[in-house]
Amino acid sequence: MKLYYYPGACSLAPHIVAREAGVAFTLEKVDLANRTTETGASFTAINPKGYVPALGLQDGSVLTEASAIVQYLADSQPGTDLAPAHGTIERYRLLEWLGFISTEIHKGFGPLWNPATPDAVKAAAKERLASRFAYLDEKLGQHPFLTGSKFTVADAYLFTVVNWTNFHGIDISSFPNLQAFQARVASRPSVQQALEAEGLVKKAA
Ligand SMILES: N[C@@H](CCC(=O)N[C@@H](CS)C(=O)NCC(=O)O)C(=O)O
């Protein structure tokens, strides 16, 4: 499998999951401004949506959408505990979290990435994110990971998008459980390896 990514973008979530699951994969960096990949391929020919993540599968087809890709990777390696079994209420709880992360947190950051966004709109987006962080903080005070005691694909996704607070100078110290969650997930070997591979942290000496 080949994961098309941009350093630190939402593609970091499937990158972490691929490492957690022990999937054999390669990485191909995408220049999002020019829509080309590091090997010179046209990224829009690979994913007409033009955004990462995209996962090239063995049969030559391409899977997109972060929440679908992380589940595909987890399900491709049964027994990893990264996603509960299909058809169980636990799986629907996972989907509930993936939907929340995708629409409330991931896309909640949307206005902050655009330099043309007026300051008042940015302030409103930050306020909205803070209310979602408060909800997460309460839940993460009850158990170490979103669905309980086990790390799942939803945790990889949440870590990835909350990490963007560092790019936007958003202080999350008033959400101590969320802050502790970020540190907990960051300390996982898979996460350190993914961050190193994306050039976001230096390899430990
Ligand atoms: N709905 C997509 C959104 C993916 C997305 O927002 N990707 C961003 C990086 S986090 C991107 O590639 N943006 C560049 C663009 O849209 O041109 C998903 O959930 O995977």
Side-chain angles (χ1 to χ4, degrees), residues 3-170:
L3 179 65
Y4 295 90
Y5 80 104
Y6 182 80
C10 45
S11 43
L12 177 62
H15 186 178
I16 292 169
V17 171
R19 289 177 186 273
E20 286 277 345
V23 168
F25 70 102
T26 56
L27 287 169
E28 187 150 339
K29 191 165 159 180
V30 178
D31 177 342
L32 289 171
N34 295 316
R35 304 270 194 269
T36 52
T37 77
E38 62 183 322
T39 62
S42 158
F43 185 55
T44 35
I46 294 158
N47 176 15
K49 292 170 177 170
Y51 52 65
V52 292
L55 185 70
L57 305 181
Q58 307 293 17
D59 66 0
S61 64
V62 173
L63 185 66
T64 61
E65 301 302 321
S67 50
I69 296 172
V70 292
Q71 292 182 75
Y72 178 85
L73 290 167
D75 292 340
S76 75
Q77 306 291 313
T80 58
D81 272 352
L82 289 164
H86 282 283
T88 61
I89 183 61
E90 289 79 13
R91 185 66 175 231
Y92 292 102
R93 290 289 171 209
L94 182 80
L95 294 178
E96 188 178 17
W97 277 121
L98 289 173
F100 178 81
I101 298 163
S102 173
T103 59
E104 302 298 328
I105 313 290
H106 180 171
K107 287 299 152 184
F109 275 93
L112 305 183
W113 294 113
N114 184 351
T117 303
D119 285 349
V121 176
K122 283 189 180 166
K126 285 183 182 177
E127 225 173 274
R128 200 173 165 82
L129 279 170
S131 79
R132 304 305 186 244
F133 290 165
Y135 176 76
L136 286 163
D137 194 60
E138 198 249 316
K139 293 292 171 195
L140 290 167
Q142 296 166 18
H143 28 70
F145 298 111
L146 288 172
T147 60
S149 60
K150 286 179 186 159
F151 177 88
T152 71
V153 299
D155 299 300
Y157 194 7
L158 181 63
F159 168 80
T160 296
V161 292
V162 173
N163 192 41
W164 297 341
T165 55
N166 295 313
F167 294 86
H168 297 292
I170 299 173

